[in-house]
Amino acid sequence: GTEILSGLLVANEKRFSDPSKSMTNATAIKRNLIFLGRYVDYKRPLMLVQAFLQLKQNDRLNGWSLSFYGDGPLRQELIARTEEHSEIVINGFRSPKNLKQVFEEAGAFCLPSKNEHWGVVVHEATMCGLPVILSDTCGAASKLLIHGYNGFGFKTDSHSDLTMALDQIFHLPAEELRRMSRNSRKMSGSLTQERWAAALMSVL
C-alpha cells in the first residue's frame, strides 16, 4: 500500500457551501481580513499583527481591518499589542455553527501558521468564497491555494513576504477580489466528503 489518499480532513460542505453568497458584481467588498484559530505561537497571530501594523504605519491599509477569532495562551498579548489600533479586533472563540456568519463578514482569510499539518479552516474559508493568504508550510495550501489565482502564498517566518502578500490583497481592484472569490470556490470543490468516501472505497 504505497497509495496516499488525500482529502480526509475536509469541511462540512452542507454548512459552508452556498454559491449564492459568492462575491458578485453587486456585492460590496468587505475590507476585513480574518484569522480564525487558536492563539498559539505556531499559528503566528502576532506575526500577522506585526505585518498589518507595518502596513498601517506606511499608510497601506486601504480601508482594510483585521479580525481575530479564537482563544489560547497568546490572547492577552494580542489584546495588549492591538488595543491602541481600532482597525484590529480580537474576538473570542466561535462555535462551528457560527463560523459561516464570521466568513460572510470577511473579505479575505489568512492562516500564517508554521508547520500546520492541514488546516480544515482553510477549506471552510474557500468554500465561503474567501481569497486566502497562506504560509508555504500550511498543508492545505498544496490543495487550496494557487498563488495569484485565489490568493497569495508567502514563505514561512518571512515577515517581509507576509507583509507583501497582505499589501497585494489590500490593493487589488474590487473585480479582482471577486474573481479570486469565485476561484476559491472552484478550488474548494475539489475536496468534498463524497470524493473522499469514493477514494476510500476505491482501495478497500
Side-chain angles (χ1 to χ4, degrees):
T2 57
E3 285 294 307
I4 297 176
L5 294 177
S6 63
L8 174 58
L9 297 168
V10 297
N12 181 342
E13 62 262 31
K14 290 184 178 64
R15 175 176 288 159
F16 293 100
S17 187
D18 182 358
S20 69
K21 296 287 188 181
S22 262
M23 291 186 204
T24 64
N25 290 336
T27 310
I29 298 296
K30 296 182 173 71
R31 294 179 179 272
N32 182 30
L33 178 70
I34 64 168
F35 170 102
L36 201 154
R38 288 206 17 93
Y39 300 154
V40 291
D41 186 59
Y42 83 89
K43 288 186 181 284
R44 296 289 191 261
L46 293 170
M47 181 181 174
L48 178 54
V49 165
Q50 185 182 1
F52 185 89
L53 290 179
Q54 182 175 329
L55 290 177
K56 178 183 178 179
Q57 185 178 350
N58 296 338
D59 199 23
R60 295 289 296 172
L61 292 184
N62 198 26
W64 280 74
S65 57
L66 173 60
S67 296
F68 286 84
Y69 295 89
D71 205 354
L74 295 178
R75 178 178 172 81
Q76 289 309 314
E77 187 172 353
L78 277 168
I79 291 171
R81 286 213 195 172
T82 61
E83 59 189 353
E84 294 179 11
H85 303 280
S86 60
E87 303 90 347
I88 305 177
V89 180
I90 310 299
N91 298 286
F93 173 79
R94 292 292 189 273
S95 70
K97 69 177 187 294
N98 294 326
L99 291 186
K100 189 174 181 186
Q101 183 180 357
V102 168
F103 289 127
E104 288 174 356
E105 292 303 311
F109 171 83
C110 182
L111 189 61
S113 298
K114 180 176 183 176
N115 300 326
E116 179 89 35
H117 173 64
W118 176 249
V120 173
V121 67
V122 178
H123 193 201
E124 294 166 348
T126 55
M127 273 187 173
C128 289
L130 291 184
V132 293
I133 298 171
L134 307 174
S135 67
D136 60 5
T137 54
C138 176
S142 64
K143 295 282 187 184
L144 292 169
L145 170 64
I146 297 175
H147 185 82
Y149 177 76
N150 70 315
F152 298 103
F154 70 94
K155 188 169 176 53
T156 289
D157 282 342
S158 171
H159 172 77
S160 61
D161 226 25
L162 172 57
T163 306
M164 190 185 309
L166 297 184
D167 190 74
Q168 285 177 289
I169 280 280
F170 292 172
H171 290 86
L172 284 178
E175 184 46 49
E176 188 67 10
L177 279 169
R178 293 186 183 103
R179 182 184 69 82
M180 283 195 170
S181 170
R182 293 190 296 269
N183 291 343
S184 266
R185 282 194 187 279
K186 290 177 191 172
M187 296 286 287
S188 75
S190 67
L191 294 175
T192 65
Q193 292 168 343
E194 182 181 4
R195 288 186 189 202
W196 162 249
L200 184 60
M201 292 304 292
S202 74
V203 297
L204 291 180

